Amino acid sequence: MTADVKQTELVTITVDGVEMQVPKGSMVIEATDAARIDVPRFCYHKKLSIVASCRMCLVEVEQGGRPAPKPLPACATPVADGMKVYTSSPKAIAAQRGVMEFLLINHPLDCPVCDQGGECELQDLALGYGRSVSRFSERKRVFEDEDLGPLIATAMTRCIHCTRCVRFLHEIGGQRELGAVGRGEHTKITTYIEGGVHSELSGNIIDLCPVGALTDKPYQFSARAWELLARPTISPHDAVGTNLSAHYLRGKIKRVVPRENEEINECWIADRDRFGFYGIYSEQRLNRPMIKQDGQWREVDWETALTTAAEALRKITSDSPEQLGALVSPNATTEEMYLLGKLVRGLGSRNIDHRLRQGDFSDQAALGSYPYLGRPIAELERLQAALLIGADLRAQAPLLNLRLRKASLRGGSIHYLNPLRLDLNFRAEQHVVPAPTMPTELALVAQALAELKGASLPAAVEQLAAAGTRQDWHSEVARQLAESESASVLLGAIAIAHPAGASLRALGTLIAELAGARFGEISDGANSAGGWLAGAVPHRKAGGEAEQQPGLHARAMLEQPRRAYVLYNVEPEYDCWDPAAASAAMDSAEFVLAFTPFVTERMRAYADVLLPVGTFAETAGTFVNLEGRWQSFGGVAAPVGEARPGWRVLRVLGNLLGLPGFEHESAEEVHAEVRQLVGDYQPAKALSLQAAATAGSGLYRVASVPIYAGDAVVRRSTPLQQTSHAKPAALHINSADAAAIGLNDGEQALVRQSGEVRLTVKIDDGVPAGTVWIPSALSESAALGPMFGEVTVARA
Amino acid sequence: MTRESHAADEILTPEMRAEIDRWIAKYPPDRKQSAVLPALHICQDSNGGWLKREHLDAVADYLGMPRVQVYEVANFYGNFFLEPVGRHKINICNNISCMLRGADELIAYIEKKLGIRRGETTPDGRITLVMEEECLAACVGAPMMLVDGKYYTDLTPEKVDEILDSLE
């Protein structure tokens, strides 16, 4: 087996008179931490490299009866058999006090105006080790502040040069955006010239900073640590299921910080997890239920709104139930999806779906019970080889990207097959091909694998492969997947949105099977697994039992417009595969009922009843992550306005409609009911293979969803929308194609798909010939059409 | 990565590259960044004794290092100058041996003579007085100074006059 499971050798050391067994080669501080013996520190962090620069963790060490002549830093002193460590002997304490006195020489005494006050490692340790009077009467050094962007506030004069932030951005974030410039007392943490910190994980340096040099900018001065209460919750922005702790004051969330869970997010969270919640307090919040009567909107009480909604739903479904379609956000809770599914089915329809950005549904009947990653998240960092198909993990699931980055740093071979070149923060092979040829490219990998393994391929795969030419990289990917003990083939959101997504899934599964690797899918949204399991799909009831007669899936519901729609936390013009068609379907519907935390002009135009439901923070619920892990959370914040938890609104609406099975008293009861239906879940297994799409002769549009555009909450997070990642949709086109049309960088272009929009041209040679990349889920591209498809481009 | 090494293309001449490559060859192939100090010296020598931001970027790109890491190196060492300098650089030792032998008075004399303070350059661009200089390991000849890398020891005001006046 691998080195990881090798028995670790133990040595015996004595810390403060207590004997303990610790792994050979580990540092003294790891032993003391494990034994919960407090050793003060600033620069040491268990997830970062050791620099031993702050010297705060000095301890007295004795080896073979001989005391070390000087105190040693616990973080950089490896344990040895028979070592004796004294963490609080007079000598150790004197050394720690000495270091503290030096650290405080230049540190300002501005705790009363410092946002870190009350949760400051320096403040805490100064209380324990500091003197009450400073002997330093010279001038303290001061620094100008750095502008690190909209998320991180700086007060560099407070910096004690632990370099945790520098090391984090280099070692974990993968972008060396900060450095320690200058020498001695002139040392300064800075970006030097480049403006700001842009890592999608940047907020973690706020937590890492042991002083008030780097603090949370949007949260700045809005509360004191000791006033806040904390509740555990789960990130609603991606399928990782990141564990969060939400800090709130008087019912309002003030900030979000990581909750350590080594199996999922370790001690990190993405900026989207941390700053996304600001969207909850958007000015667009819907405070009261509203109904439209004779073209006029008016605020009404809940009863009126629900009665109006129930009557309209009854009217339409009583004679033609199949005319009702329900679109639910993949970020809705399992409980909400379950009750909505029950409601839709109770009204006689089966048209419900959460797979709003999926392009191809042809294999849905053959799939397992939910989209599964194929292995636990933590295993990703030990992959020896991986093939990612249509995946931009940095935008879709930053914490999975982090795991893959670790795999790459450990020597793993990571391959991407994508219709555009990504800006990666680790070493990987990127195979960039036009979107329509992706199935062929995969078939060629499968062919190479079959040859390697002496297996035969289904005729359809051979046929697909025949349309392309085998290159070295196909064989190389095949060989690496086959030779690795631990390999994964992963399907990302771009592949899921691909019009031949089922083929990509089938080929990915085939490749994984041939190579002895695991196949996995990284679903869009936070709770696609919950959606599948709770019946928010048109072809499976809650629990996974197949529908005799499947209803319409998300795409079909919009392509064959319904007379009535229920939208559950969905903005069709941003959240759907074909925003233009979705918008049009809403406009032409007789009745649109929107369960929504927000209200926009667009919603006022197409909806008839608006019901204010709480966001993830205002309701109890459960997300099922891509490992199939059920994580329940309670409500954190008080609902905004008259908003109510969605499950309760659905329950009451179910009662008003006279449907059976809507008697739940709590979210937990709903949860128990779904859980009982589901029982033991089983991982997905994709099988069906469809014919490939053929490439046309014109330009082909490819879309992906930018990191801060994926859902209604994150789109309204002001801090995130101020970052460099939030850019208006542009037309990304390679220089040769641009030259052929006569387009220059920065000019306006007229792009026609099913609709027509003007977009700024961005020359980008990461886009293959014949492809244009136009991000979706942004207002500029909303009127254009599906995420994939042929477009014409002209000078504007 | 979208960032190309444009800086390296424009700033590093073929001769400079050849010279940097000689240094790179001294280290293992995956430790190209070990050549960062000589590479910066090569750039500094080619540019009248100081480094522009473009040089730092060029060296970073050429050696495959994050740019900020090269900024760290260039800022750390007193031998690298990030602002324009005079034709001659003078470092006057102010460490303890020289201080006991009159370095402070000597520094005051030189500053008065040139009409500039340490860290400044004469208006005619002739001489830069380097900010401060710790021990240059010539205590036996204290007080001493370094002029364009050359040691001058056992200094007196007369000797200093002679040395400074001979600089073109």
Side-chain angles (χ1 to χ4, degrees):
Chain A
M1 281 303 280
T2 56
D4 299 322
V5 289
K6 206 174 59 188
Q7 205 66 35
T8 4
E9 222 177 303
L10 295 175
V11 296
T12 306
I13 65 168
T14 312
V15 180
D16 297 342
V18 182
E19 216 175 80
M20 54 182 80
Q21 300 269 312
V22 292
K24 194 177 175 181
S26 62
M27 297 297 163
V28 169
I29 204 163
E30 294 176 66
T32 54
D33 278 357
R36 295 182 176 276
I37 296 167
D38 214 16
V39 174
R41 88 285 308 268
F42 294 109
C43 69
Y44 173 78
H45 189 277
K46 62 183 175 182
K47 294 276 182 188
L48 302 176
S49 64
I50 291 167
V51 288
S53 65
C54 77
R55 317 306 285 183
M56 192 62 210
C57 65
L58 290 174
V59 291
E60 199 181 343
V61 175
E62 206 178 294
Q63 179 69 54
R66 292 213 320 255
K70 292 198 287 184
L72 297 176
C75 72
T77 303
V79 294
D81 207 30
M83 181 183 265
K84 286 190 172 135
V85 178
Y86 304 95
T87 67
S88 48
S89 64
K91 202 170 160 186
I93 294 283
Q96 291 158 3
R97 280 175 180 272
V99 170
M100 176 55 76
E101 187 171 11
F102 273 106
L103 283 173
L104 290 178
I105 276 182
N106 275 317
H107 192 81
L109 289 173
D110 64 347
C111 305
V113 297
C114 174
D115 227 15
Q116 191 89 347
E119 52 178 352
C120 173
E121 292 173 48
L122 185 65
Q123 202 177 31
D124 292 349
L125 291 182
L127 195 70
Y129 299 88
R131 303 162 62 104
S132 53
V133 178
S134 173
R135 292 184 288 177
F136 183 76
S137 56
E138 290 81 356
R139 207 182 331 178
K140 290 174 185 249
R141 58 123 176 75
V142 289
F143 288 124
E144 265 180 51
D145 286 337
E146 286 279 317
D147 181 6
L148 299 188
L151 305 179
I152 301 161
T154 63
M156 299 320 288
T157 300
R158 298 187 189 127
C159 174
I160 58 166
H161 305 142
C162 70
T163 69
R164 279 184 189 175
C165 55
V166 176
R167 284 176 284 146
F168 173 83
L169 289 171
H170 181 48
E171 295 163 14
I172 312 284
Q175 271 170 302
R176 185 81 146 82
E177 295 183 300
L178 288 175
V181 158
R183 186 171 47 171
E185 77 160 358
H186 303 295
T187 307
K188 184 182 169 187
I189 303 296
T190 172
T191 58
Y192 194 60
I193 295 164
E194 235 89 47
V197 164
H198 304 282
S199 163
E200 69 279 11
L201 305 172
S202 70
N204 292 299
I205 66 176
I206 297 167
D207 303 331
L208 287 171
C209 182
V211 297
L214 306 175
T215 53
D216 186 327
K217 201 178 219 172
Y219 160 80
Q220 205 174 20
F221 308 135
S222 67
R224 277 301 196 181
W226 56 84
E227 303 176 294
L228 297 170
L229 296 167
R231 277 197 194 145
T233 188
I234 303 295
S235 173
H237 304 295
D238 59 42
V240 174
T242 301
N243 287 200
L244 306 174
S245 182
H247 293 177
Y248 64 100
L249 175 64
R250 291 186 280 275
K252 207 173 162 190
I253 297 189
K254 288 291 176 185
R255 65 176 175 186
V256 165
V257 296
R259 190 154 47 88
E260 195 168 340
N261 187 333
E262 202 54 30
E263 293 174 0
I264 300 175
N265 51 293
E266 305 171 78
C267 53
W268 315 124
I269 58 175
D271 288 355
R272 191 167 61 189
D273 305 319
R274 185 184 305 266
F275 299 105
F277 82 89
Y278 283 97
I280 297 173
Y281 301 112
S282 150
E283 284 173 6
Q284 289 183 327
R285 269 311 282 260
L286 175 64
N287 287 309
R288 298 194 62 198
M290 293 176 81
I291 60 173
K292 186 154 69 181
Q293 275 176 334
D294 308 321
Q296 292 295 308
W297 279 104
R298 59 188 190 92
E299 291 191 342
V300 293
D301 56 35
W302 268 103
E303 205 182 329
T304 313
L306 286 166
T307 315
T308 312
E311 276 168 14
L313 288 174
R314 252 302 163 234
K315 194 167 138 254
I316 288 167
T317 54
S318 59
D319 54 337
S320 44
E322 79 288 352
Q323 280 301 325
L324 174 67
L327 297 171
V328 51
S329 161
N331 300 340
T333 64
T334 308
E335 291 78 359
E336 290 166 324
M337 296 206 207
Y338 171 66
L339 289 182
L340 184 62
K342 206 172 190 179
L343 191 118
V344 168
R345 289 187 175 88
L347 288 168
S349 174
R350 288 170 310 275
N351 306 332
I352 175 167
D353 212 341
H354 73 278
R355 299 164 298 174
L356 307 182
R357 293 197 183 101
Q358 186 159 323
D360 183 0
F361 298 82
S362 55
D363 62 348
Q364 63 178 12
L367 297 181
S369 51
Y370 69 94
Y372 174 49
L373 181 63
R375 56 172 79 241
I377 289 171
E379 278 183 25
L380 291 182
E381 67 182 62
R382 302 203 173 268
L383 287 177
Q384 291 161 353
L387 170 61
L388 284 102
I389 305 167
D392 178 3
L393 286 195
R394 230 175 146 183
Q396 196 196 338
L399 292 174
L400 297 188
N401 185 66
L402 186 158
R403 298 276 187 175
L404 276 184
R405 182 172 178 273
K406 285 203 246 182
S408 168
L409 291 175
R410 283 197 167 105
S413 312
I414 315 293
H415 293 266
Y416 283 84
L417 176 67
N418 269 325
L420 69 156
R421 183 169 294 279
L422 306 173
D423 187 9
L424 293 177
N425 57 357
F426 57 85
R427 191 178 47 77
E429 296 294 326
Q430 295 201 56
H431 312 292
V432 181
V433 302
T437 67
M438 284 173 71
T440 298
E441 303 292 338
L442 286 178
L444 288 164
V445 174
Q447 197 184 48
L449 257 169
E451 283 170 21
L452 216 59
K453 296 275 181 179
S456 64
L457 286 179
V461 179
E462 288 289 4
Q463 242 168 35
L464 263 178
T469 329
R470 178 98 66 84
Q471 288 160 21
D472 288 347
W473 72 262
H474 298 112
S475 315
E476 188 61 15
V477 171
R479 190 185 60 75
Q480 285 177 352
L481 288 173
E483 285 176 1
S484 300
E485 278 175 37
S486 154
S488 267
V489 178
L490 297 166
L491 203 69
I494 298 173
I496 293 169
H498 196 288
S503 301
L504 298 178
R505 188 179 288 110
L507 288 160
T509 310
L510 177 69
I511 289 170
E513 269 174 18
L514 285 169
R518 303 267 187 92
F519 176 78
E521 188 161 337
I522 300 153
S523 47
D524 191 31
N527 196 29
S528 185
W532 274 83
L533 295 168
V537 283
H539 64 295
R540 300 266 172 88
K541 294 176 190 163
E545 191 194 327
E547 289 275 8
Q548 298 265 307
Q549 274 277 298
L552 298 177
H553 54 68
R555 239 185 103 177
M557 257 186 261
L558 298 168
E559 283 165 1
Q560 304 160 35
R562 304 286 97 190
R563 280 169 56 201
Y565 288 99
V566 175
L567 298 178
Y568 199 97
N569 205 351
V570 172
E571 293 179 275
E573 67 275 30
Y574 296 121
D575 292 328
C576 289
W577 186 74
D578 184 347
S583 255
M586 294 308 132
D587 285 332
S588 64
E590 274 169 48
F591 177 72
V592 175
L593 165 62
F595 292 79
T596 173
F598 307 106
V599 57
T600 62
E601 278 312 305
R602 220 26 224 116
M603 278 180 212
R604 285 171 184 273
Y606 61 66
D608 298 279
V609 175
L610 294 169
L611 301 177
V613 292
T615 60
F616 77 101
E618 300 149 69
T619 181
T622 305
F623 289 145
V624 186
N625 82 347
L626 41 60
E627 303 166 294
R629 195 189 290 259
W630 292 60
Q631 297 191 104
S632 294
F633 50 89
V636 179
V640 173
E642 283 182 25
R644 292 289 170 268
W647 70 267
R648 285 173 91 161
V649 179
L650 284 163
R651 196 205 87 139
V652 177
L653 188 60
N655 291 340
L656 279 174
L657 285 163
L659 300 174
F662 283 88
E663 289 84 33
H664 314 89
E665 293 290 336
S666 67
E668 288 71 24
E669 274 181 40
V670 187
H671 176 96
E673 196 174 307
V674 195
R675 203 61 207 254
Q676 194 209 339
L677 282 171
V678 172
D680 283 339
Y681 45 80
Q682 17 162 328
K685 199 162 186 253
L687 295 163
S688 97
L689 181 68
Q690 311 293 320
T694 46
S697 52
L699 286 171
Y700 193 85
R701 178 201 176 181
V702 168
S704 62
V705 178
I707 184 166
Y708 301 142
D711 60 77
V713 174
V714 80
R715 282 194 291 268
R716 288 174 174 80
S717 164
T718 310
L720 291 179
Q721 296 308 325
Q722 289 168 346
T723 64
S724 59
H725 296 280
K727 285 181 285 217
L731 168 79
H732 295 252
I733 186 169
N734 78 29
S735 41
D737 285 336
I741 306 170
L743 291 171
N744 294 311
D745 196 78
E747 284 179 358
Q748 293 287 302
L750 212 56
V751 186
R752 195 174 302 121
Q753 197 175 358
S754 57
E756 190 176 85
V757 297
R758 288 165 77 94
L759 294 172
T760 307
V761 175
K762 181 97 186 70
I763 304 289
D764 183 348
D765 283 325
V767 177
T771 299
V772 292
W773 174 48
I774 305 168
S776 189
L778 298 172
S779 59
E780 296 81 10
S781 60
L784 202 51
M787 290 176 75
F788 286 73
E790 285 183 30
V791 291
T792 56
V793 176
R795 298 181 55 149
Chain B
M1 295 294 284
T2 48
R3 195 187 70 197
E4 303 295 334
S5 36
H6 293 310
D9 294 344
E10 287 162 21
I11 297 288
L12 303 179
T13 63
E15 296 76 40
M16 290 162 77
R17 275 162 211 257
E19 218 177 321
I20 296 172
D21 288 345
R22 272 201 311 128
W23 283 96
I24 292 176
K26 292 180 198 281
Y27 305 106
D30 59 334
R31 303 281 167 82
K32 263 165 60 171
Q33 67 186 61
S34 300
V36 63
L37 288 177
L40 287 173
H41 275 298
I42 290 163
C43 289
Q44 180 160 284
D45 293 346
S46 78
N47 187 49
W50 69 287
L51 290 163
K52 289 192 220 175
R53 155 112 191 264
E54 287 80 359
H55 292 109
L56 307 184
D57 291 345
V59 167
D61 294 352
Y62 196 68
L63 299 179
M65 297 168 70
R67 291 181 173 187
V68 68
Q69 214 167 354
V70 176
Y71 305 154
E72 286 179 329
V73 171
N75 272 278
F76 184 85
Y77 292 102
N79 296 0
F80 295 120
F81 297 85
L82 304 174
E83 303 281 340
V85 290
R87 292 191 296 280
H88 305 282
K89 285 178 200 152
I90 298 183
N91 313 45
I92 315 161
C93 178
N94 58 5
N95 213 294
I96 187 146
S97 302
C98 287
M99 191 187 83
L100 292 172
R101 300 270 293 154
D104 287 350
E105 293 76 17
L106 198 70
I107 289 166
Y109 177 77
I110 295 174
E111 285 185 339
K112 191 162 173 239
K113 178 180 167 69
L114 295 176
I116 54 170
R117 304 184 66 90
R118 279 179 300 167
E120 294 175 353
T121 302
T122 53
D124 59 1
R126 194 166 69 101
I127 291 172
T128 294
L129 280 183
V130 175
M131 194 58 194
E132 56 184 356
E133 195 58 59
E134 301 306 339
C135 188
L136 287 162
C139 305
V140 67
M144 64 79 66
M145 67 180 183
L146 198 63
V147 179
D148 295 334
K150 199 172 164 213
Y151 279 60
Y152 292 89
T153 54
D154 301 306
L155 296 176
T156 59
E158 296 74 35
K159 228 170 154 178
V160 164
D161 282 345
E162 199 183 311
I163 297 162
L164 294 189
D165 294 345
S166 71
L167 296 174
E168 56 83 36

